[in-house]
């Protein structure tokens, strides 16, 4: 079956690269906001037979940025699915590297919504055949998918990048217990005996305030702090400060989805990071690692 990539507005570089890796055509979208705030999207084609009968791969991360928030990105995703379905796509594959709302996977306070599940239910409603995401914060939410759903691991790619910039004597530090498993798998990519240390993090569920503690011996070590998401940078900056006071020589702040909201860059660099490293799940200045090949390999 012929395939085509729809490059979503939030994943312009990644979408084109995936199409190039697959050796297939790609097209983009026209988007705007109506005066009342409603989103508008059309697939940028004049001839709808370009879609009819094809396998359509939609690439759209749903992270917030200066130009659109995650709600707009999700709406665009739904609009693209709806549009290609109407035009007669035979198979629809959604590549959503950053899946918004997956941090709302648990009920922390009475009255809350487990909205991570609801987002998957919405994707189910629009109806796709396969969903590919990357380092999903709570992979368990993918169990809600009624279609095939794959959580791609970007850790090897990030580890390869860190090795390529000459990090030595590496210790991987997990900024909280939730990151321990991921950090352990990450450390293995640096070699068998690379240690994983963990700081204790507590977040006040009402105020969001973070407290972190722990004293490690990191003297002369290159410390890699790995998280799935950097949002405001609070977690990362606090972990970096602790790593520095524990003797770290260099500190690399690594995240699959470096959203870098508000003053995150300032906070992280001011805390003492040598470099911030993310993937092109989020199209910004720290996306030094491309997911295009690994995603294309899954799609082949
Ligand atoms: C939380 O459990 C996540 O894994 C990240 O640690 C968190 O989202 C980072 O948020 P922030 O950068 O705002 O501290």
């Amino acid at each position: 079956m012929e395939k085509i990539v729809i490059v979503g507005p939030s994943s312009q570089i990644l979408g084109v690269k995936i199409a190039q890796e697959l050796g297939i055509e790609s097209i983009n979208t026209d988007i705007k906001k109506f005066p009342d705030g409603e989103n508008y999207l059309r697939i940028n084609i004049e001839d709808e037979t370009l879609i009819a009968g094809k396998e359509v791969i939609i690439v759209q991360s749903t992270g917030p940025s200066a130009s659109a928030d995650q709600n707009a990105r999700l709406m665009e995703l739904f609009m693209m699915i709806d549009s290609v379905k109407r035009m007669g796509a035979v198979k629809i594959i959604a590549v959503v590297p950053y899946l918004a709302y997956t941090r709302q996977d648990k009920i922390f306070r009475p009255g809350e919504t487990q909205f991570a599940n609801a987002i998957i239910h919405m994707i189910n409603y629009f109806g796709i055949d396969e969903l590919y995401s990357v380092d999903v914060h709570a992979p368990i939410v993918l169990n809600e998918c009624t279609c095939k759903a794959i959580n791609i691991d970007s850790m090897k790619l990030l580890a390869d990048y860190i090795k390529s910039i000459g990090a030595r004597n590496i210790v991987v530090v997990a900024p909280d217990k939730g990151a321990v498993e991921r950090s352990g798998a990450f450390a293995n990519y640096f070699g068998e005996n690379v240690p994983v240390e963990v700081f204790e993090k507590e977040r006040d569920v009402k105020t969001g305030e973070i407290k972190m503690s722990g004293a490690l011996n990191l003297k002369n070590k290159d410390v890699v702090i790995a998280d799935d998401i950097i949002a405001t940078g609070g977690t990362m900056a606090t972990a970096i400060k602790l790593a520095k006071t524990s003797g770290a020589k260099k500190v690399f702040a690594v995240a699959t989805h470096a959203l870098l909201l508000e003053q995150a860059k300032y906070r992280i660099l001011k805390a003492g990071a040598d470099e911030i490293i993310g993937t092109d799940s989020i199209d910004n200045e720290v996306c030094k690692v491309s997911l295009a090949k690994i995603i294309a390999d899954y799609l082949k």
Side-chain angles (χ1 to χ4, degrees):
M1 194 190 318
E2 256 192 279
K3 301 180 187 192
I4 190 162
V5 171
I6 309 289
V7 178
S10 65
S11 294
Q12 296 172 35
I13 296 175
L14 181 60
V16 170
K17 281 190 185 169
I18 290 174
Q20 286 167 346
E21 285 285 343
L22 292 171
I24 61 177
E25 199 191 330
S26 64
I27 43 181
N28 69 348
T29 61
D30 276 343
I31 54 166
K32 66 178 177 186
K33 265 205 175 203
F34 286 111
D36 62 0
E38 286 184 6
N39 286 77
Y40 168 91
L41 179 143
R42 67 175 277 276
I43 310 291
N44 197 4
I45 48 172
E46 299 305 331
D47 176 5
E48 294 197 351
T49 61
L50 271 175
I51 300 294
K54 291 209 178 125
E55 175 178 315
V56 177
I57 300 164
I58 296 169
V59 184
Q60 167 86 342
S61 221
T62 55
S65 67
S67 53
D69 67 17
Q70 54 275 70
N71 300 329
R73 293 316 191 193
L74 282 165
M75 200 60 83
E76 290 162 359
L77 172 67
F78 299 148
M79 289 171 131
M80 283 186 277
I81 298 170
D82 192 56
S83 171
V84 300
K85 180 166 282 181
R86 183 191 60 72
M87 290 189 277
V90 169
K91 184 172 180 185
I92 304 174
I93 296 176
V95 176
V96 188
Y98 175 75
L99 191 54
Y101 286 92
T102 51
R103 285 181 293 176
Q104 297 194 42
D105 61 314
K106 294 190 189 85
I107 300 296
F108 297 97
R109 299 179 67 195
E112 288 180 346
T113 158
Q114 209 170 359
F115 212 66
N117 290 0
I119 292 291
I120 300 289
H121 299 161
M122 286 186 234
I123 293 173
N124 290 341
Y125 169 78
F126 282 94
I128 57 170
D129 297 282
E130 294 174 17
L131 172 68
Y132 294 85
S133 191
V134 182
D135 295 336
V136 176
H137 179 72
I140 195 164
V141 304
L142 295 183
N143 292 347
E144 299 291 317
C145 274
T146 50
C147 68
K148 173 177 165 186
I150 302 285
N151 182 26
I152 298 172
D153 182 347
S154 78
M155 289 295 148
K156 180 174 183 314
L157 299 175
L158 288 162
D160 286 347
Y161 176 84
I162 291 158
K163 283 192 263 182
S164 78
I165 55 174
R168 299 272 176 277
N169 245 335
I170 293 171
V171 175
V172 174
V173 170
D176 57 29
K177 282 198 184 122
V180 170
E181 199 182 318
R182 192 177 278 123
S183 297
F186 187 44
N188 285 337
Y189 292 120
F190 293 112
E192 263 178 30
N193 300 316
V194 169
V196 180
E197 306 284 1
V198 59
F199 288 132
E200 292 287 328
K201 175 175 115 176
E202 271 176 58
R203 193 188 281 270
D204 186 306
V205 292
K206 286 189 185 161
T207 63
E209 197 193 322
I210 293 167
K211 282 197 188 126
M212 203 178 280
S213 57
L216 306 171
N217 182 4
L218 300 174
K219 207 158 185 295
N220 291 323
K221 299 287 183 187
D222 283 356
V223 172
V224 181
I225 305 178
D227 213 342
D228 57 333
I229 300 167
I230 297 174
T232 64
T235 303
M236 195 51 92
T238 313
I240 292 164
K241 280 183 208 153
L242 274 180
K244 280 294 198 187
T245 53
S246 303
K249 189 169 151 210
K250 286 190 175 175
V251 182
F252 300 99
V254 180
T256 311
H257 314 288
L259 304 178
L260 302 182
L261 309 174
E262 300 167 7
Q263 298 283 318
K265 286 177 274 191
Y266 171 81
R267 294 170 91 174
I268 292 170
L269 294 176
K270 182 88 175 166
D274 290 83
E275 191 169 334
I276 308 171
I277 299 146
T279 74
D280 53 5
S281 156
I282 307 299
D283 185 353
N284 62 16
E285 65 273 34
V286 305
C287 66
K288 295 162 186 171
V289 171
S290 180
L291 300 167
K293 185 169 184 319
I294 194 171
I295 292 174
D297 287 346
Y298 272 93
L299 298 174
K300 272 175 191 163

